[in-house]
Amino acid sequence: MSSLALMPTLAWADDRKPTPVGDTDPSLAQQLARYTTSLTYNDLPPAIVERVKAQVIDALGCAIAALKAPDVLKVRQVAQALSEGVSTLIGTDRKTSMDLASFANGAAVRYFDLNDTYAGKEVGHPSDNITPCLAVAEAQHCSGQALILAIALAYELDCRLLDAVQISTRGWDHPNYSLPAAALAAGKLMNLSPEQLEQAVNLSLAGHLAVNQTRLQVLSNWKGLADAEAGRNAIFAAQLAKAGLTGPAPAFEGNAGFFKQVSGSFTLDTRQFGGQGGTFKIAECQVKPFPAQALLQTAIAAAIKVGKAVPDTGQVASILIATSHAGLQYSAESPEKFAPTTRETADHSLPYSVVRAMLDQGITHASYADSALKDPRLVALLKTVKVEEDETLTRLSPQRLPNRVTVTLKDGRVITEQVNDLPGFGGKPLDRQGTEEKFLRITQGLWPEQQARAFLEVAWALDQQQDLGELFRRLVLS
């Protein structure tokens, strides 16, 4: 009997039949690699360069704000186990390996859920790709312009994938889109060839797929670490590709590839990407004012207005939150979201965020302290909350992320507020003043304002710098 006769036969369901890839048709990994190779700094309009610098400032402000958080400190301890390195841990003059620096810095950026977001068919956080770009650019002694190009590229790839198909409904997490985005951006900074970039994509996807349990039921520390881990793995994949190693191919179209196992089939037309025929997606990303899930931002703003109009929360009979399909699906899908016991669950809970914002007229880092989670007033009000989808709000999404909060008092009065978008949302980016105001607000008390403004001056001039040394020096906390 031949060896072929002993091989098992793959049995595919009708929707899982192998997708043939023609001999001359480039795979999606090859298309993304070619786009990555072709993109140059001169392809970036001045407004996009400005936007990249603003997103870097925003992300680094989020990181500085979280450096003393217990979970972030634990991650940094792991990263500091190396005695020597090439990439800086934000806030210090300590260096570690590229991948560990990216992971530790990414954990800080993401910790308070205050970094930017993008809502396509899937919702993600493209700024999570900034820390792998920073780590590699520093280690490779790249210029500020090279870093800006890599970040614009990572945003473009991540957002285009987020636009392509929703994978959370299939049980998979959005950091799966960060894997190829960050791998290609890191590979760009490493000057990989198109063939090596293709392998970086293949290697990034092969063994690092993230499951969506991270975002469901009781949320754990991993909620803020999953995308940081994607960045760490992406750097490693680019390093392996640079060394000449290959990964399973075709990564997307293969008989057991990404399409079959994760997303279902989709196509991307790189001719419509930024720098080709289309606009850069970073211009559509949203900057959060509150430390909470993106879908909760307008609900918090509405709840603040309602809370100011309610004379006594003890007189509240019921609270009705109208939201989009995504808001209901991601933020009120389980009993745990109506009685959160962890910070990670609370900052992804629509009921909790609305009630806490009504009580405090705002949401801050303190909103997730144990005392806030156990507040008897909050516990009582959560029992009156109902969340439902409003199709008119769903139709406004994802270009806008609307929510409506309606409170009925025991005397029959009704108070309602609807907020559709906020400054920094809906393709209306914050200007320099707005970017700086958020940065100074979230880093207040961590360093003197003079030092913070000195950092901002360097960050706004990132495109004029030949290396990143001055940027990291300005970030050292005294």
Side-chain angles (χ1 to χ4, degrees):
M1 183 179 294
S2 71
S3 59
L4 289 176
L6 296 174
M7 293 180 64
T9 300
L10 293 178
W12 300 92
D14 288 344
D15 63 344
R16 289 165 57 87
K17 291 178 182 178
T19 302
V21 178
D23 292 338
T24 60
D25 294 335
S27 69
L28 181 53
Q30 290 171 330
Q31 294 175 56
L32 297 178
R34 293 174 187 179
Y35 170 71
T36 297
T37 301
S38 70
L39 195 66
T40 70
Y41 184 81
N42 291 333
D43 292 321
L44 306 181
I48 296 302
V49 172
E50 177 80 357
R51 190 64 187 269
V52 170
K53 291 188 287 188
Q55 302 306 90
V56 168
I57 289 169
D58 188 70
L60 292 178
C62 293
I64 290 294
L67 289 184
K68 296 183 181 180
D71 296 340
V72 175
L73 288 173
K74 292 173 185 176
V75 173
R76 289 165 75 85
Q77 287 174 0
V78 173
Q80 289 174 344
L82 291 180
S83 58
E84 296 181 1
V86 291
S87 300
T88 299
L89 293 170
I90 292 171
T92 76
D93 57 4
R94 295 281 301 274
K95 293 188 177 184
T96 184
S97 63
M98 288 190 294
D99 60 328
L100 287 178
S102 174
F103 182 64
N105 292 336
V109 168
R110 190 79 181 86
Y111 179 78
F112 281 125
D113 220 316
L114 193 51
N115 60 321
D116 71 9
T117 187
Y118 179 81
K121 291 181 180 178
E122 189 67 74
V123 179
H125 302 273
S127 55
D128 287 332
N129 295 305
I130 287 176
T131 54
C133 291
L134 278 170
V136 176
E138 182 184 14
Q140 298 292 312
H141 306 289
C142 295
S143 68
Q145 290 188 1
L147 172 63
I148 289 170
L149 175 60
I151 291 172
L153 172 67
Y155 268 78
E156 187 70 6
L157 297 169
D158 196 7
C159 294
R160 295 287 178 175
L161 288 164
L162 290 166
D163 277 342
V165 67
Q166 184 181 27
I167 57 175
S168 55
T169 55
R170 294 169 172 259
W172 299 99
D173 199 8
H174 64 78
N176 290 322
Y177 288 149
S178 297
L179 286 165
L184 288 166
K188 181 79 168 179
L189 291 163
M190 295 179 189
N191 294 314
L192 300 192
S193 68
E195 293 75 21
Q196 290 171 320
L197 290 170
E198 177 194 351
Q199 296 307 324
V201 172
N202 297 342
L203 290 160
S204 72
L205 291 173
H208 308 296
L209 295 178
V211 296
N212 200 46
Q213 186 60 35
T214 298
R215 317 284 162 191
L216 301 178
Q217 297 177 281
V218 176
L219 273 62
S220 68
N221 298 149
W222 195 249
K223 184 265 290 183
L225 299 176
D227 232 332
E229 173 71 352
R232 185 179 78 87
N233 289 326
I235 291 174
F236 185 52
Q239 288 178 298
L240 293 177
K242 184 176 183 179
L245 295 173
T246 62
F252 288 97
E253 302 90 348
N255 292 349
F258 195 85
F259 289 168
K260 296 297 187 300
Q261 304 299 329
V262 179
S263 66
S265 182
F266 64 83
T267 59
L268 292 177
D269 185 357
T270 57
R271 294 171 299 179
Q272 300 303 314
F273 283 19
Q276 303 296 315
T279 57
F280 284 92
K281 282 290 184 176
I282 192 171
E284 300 175 28
C285 292
Q286 299 157 342
V287 176
K288 295 182 186 179
F290 305 109
Q293 184 193 50
L295 296 163
L296 311 183
Q297 300 294 309
T298 56
I300 293 168
I304 291 171
K305 294 180 179 180
V306 170
K308 291 178 178 177
V310 173
D312 178 6
T313 55
Q315 298 304 308
V316 172
S318 65
I319 301 172
L320 175 62
I321 306 170
T323 189
S324 64
H325 178 75
L328 183 64
Q329 177 185 13
Y330 288 113
S331 312
E333 86 294 342
S334 65
E336 290 85 356
K337 296 294 174 65
F338 288 80
T341 58
T342 68
R343 180 190 64 79
E344 292 86 356
T345 309
D347 70 22
H348 271 50
S349 163
L350 188 52
Y352 180 89
S353 295
V354 164
V355 172
R356 191 75 264 168
M358 284 178 54
L359 290 170
D360 299 345
Q361 277 79 66
I363 291 289
T364 67
H365 307 328
S367 300
Y368 309 114
D370 285 344
S371 58
L373 293 172
K374 298 174 182 177
D375 182 349
R377 300 174 301 158
L378 175 129
V379 173
L381 285 173
L382 281 175
K383 294 177 181 178
T384 74
V385 174
K386 180 181 179 181
V387 181
E388 63 181 21
E389 178 185 352
D390 183 327
E391 291 184 358
T392 62
L393 302 184
T394 297
R395 285 194 292 270
L396 290 174
S397 303
Q399 290 76 19
R400 309 170 93 177
L401 301 177
N403 285 282
R404 184 171 62 252
V405 177
T406 301
V407 170
T408 302
L409 301 179
K410 292 176 180 178
D411 62 10
R413 285 182 293 162
V414 176
I415 302 169
T416 186
E417 291 284 350
Q418 179 173 324
V419 177
N420 292 335
D421 52 34
L422 296 166
F425 276 45
K428 303 171 185 175
L430 295 180
D431 58 14
R432 282 199 177 196
Q433 180 179 348
T435 299
E436 291 186 0
E437 285 175 353
K438 178 185 174 183
F439 180 90
L440 294 171
R441 171 170 55 85
I442 65 178
T443 60
Q444 187 176 15
L446 296 171
W447 53 9
E449 183 174 337
Q450 182 179 4
Q451 183 181 354
R453 291 196 177 277
F455 161 75
L456 289 170
E457 183 177 352
V458 171
W460 287 123
L462 184 59
D463 53 325
Q464 301 170 30
Q465 298 170 26
Q466 294 306 306
D467 63 63
L468 304 180
E470 186 65 17
L471 182 75
F472 283 107
R473 283 191 290 273
R474 294 289 185 180
L475 282 168
V476 176
L477 297 182
S478 57

